[in-house]
Amino acid sequence: MPEIKCKRYCKTLTVKDDPALIKEYTEAHSMGKAWPEITQGMKDVGIIDMEIYIFSNRLFMVMETLADFDHDSAFAKLATMPRQSEWEASMAKFQNTSADASAEDKWQLMERIYKMDQKEERRAIEGQFVFS
């Protein structure tokens, strides 16, 4: 079996269906605009890379992590990181969620239902292995 490079998690969230708010939310996530403490906190808990895509008011996140990443404990730790709750509260005005919700509460894990040549099934919470 090839060496496991990382795990991939896919998540979804909806934002308010308001073009002005969607534009503002998109700008808050544009290059260089996300707060550095937020990005560093994600790296500190084992998130290697993250991408967010948008279609209408639906967001889709691809999150790649270290191979030994434990989703629940990492997000519990992330919630305690500097400025994390402030960031979540500031983003809540765009999202269909409450101002005190954590990132884990907002972003819902998606189950993979198809992968070309898939050999193994895994629950969303476990992440999908990405091989080198």
Side-chain angles (χ1 to χ4, degrees):
M1 174 178 253
E3 181 183 347
I4 296 169
K5 179 179 173 186
C6 62
K7 290 196 285 189
R8 179 178 298 135
Y9 295 82
C10 296
K11 298 184 172 196
T12 189
L13 177 130
T14 58
V15 291
K16 295 176 180 166
D17 198 3
D18 176 322
L21 285 176
I22 291 170
K23 183 175 191 257
E24 191 177 343
Y25 185 83
T26 301
E27 288 171 1
H29 287 81
S30 63
M31 191 167 28
K33 297 289 176 89
W35 301 352
E37 301 91 341
I38 302 309
T39 301
Q40 188 58 52
M42 290 187 289
K43 290 176 181 179
D44 290 347
V45 300
I47 299 171
I48 298 168
D49 195 20
M50 179 183 289
E51 297 177 353
I52 300 175
Y53 298 83
I54 189 167
F55 177 75
S56 184
N57 70 325
R58 169 70 61 185
L59 301 177
F60 174 69
M61 174 196 293
V62 179
M63 183 175 78
E64 293 192 346
T65 70
L66 297 171
D68 63 351
F69 186 82
D70 179 283
H71 184 276
D72 290 344
S73 62
F75 273 86
K77 182 177 179 183
L78 186 63
T80 68
M81 300 292 238
R83 299 195 75 194
Q84 186 68 35
S85 61
E86 184 184 354
W87 172 262
E88 297 302 340
S90 72
M91 293 297 108
K93 77 176 186 178
F94 307 108
Q95 302 165 338
N96 291 324
T97 186
S98 68
D100 61 343
S102 69
E104 185 176 17
D105 295 332
K106 295 177 185 187
W107 287 93
Q108 300 302 302
L109 280 166
M110 300 175 76
E111 292 285 345
R112 182 171 76 186
I113 61 168
Y114 174 80
K115 178 178 178 12
M116 186 183 299
D117 300 326
Q118 182 170 337
K119 306 266 189 282
E120 176 184 350
E121 289 189 41
R122 297 180 58 81
R123 295 179 33 237
I125 194 73
E126 298 168 333
Q128 299 298 325
F129 289 137
V130 178
F131 300 101
S132 55

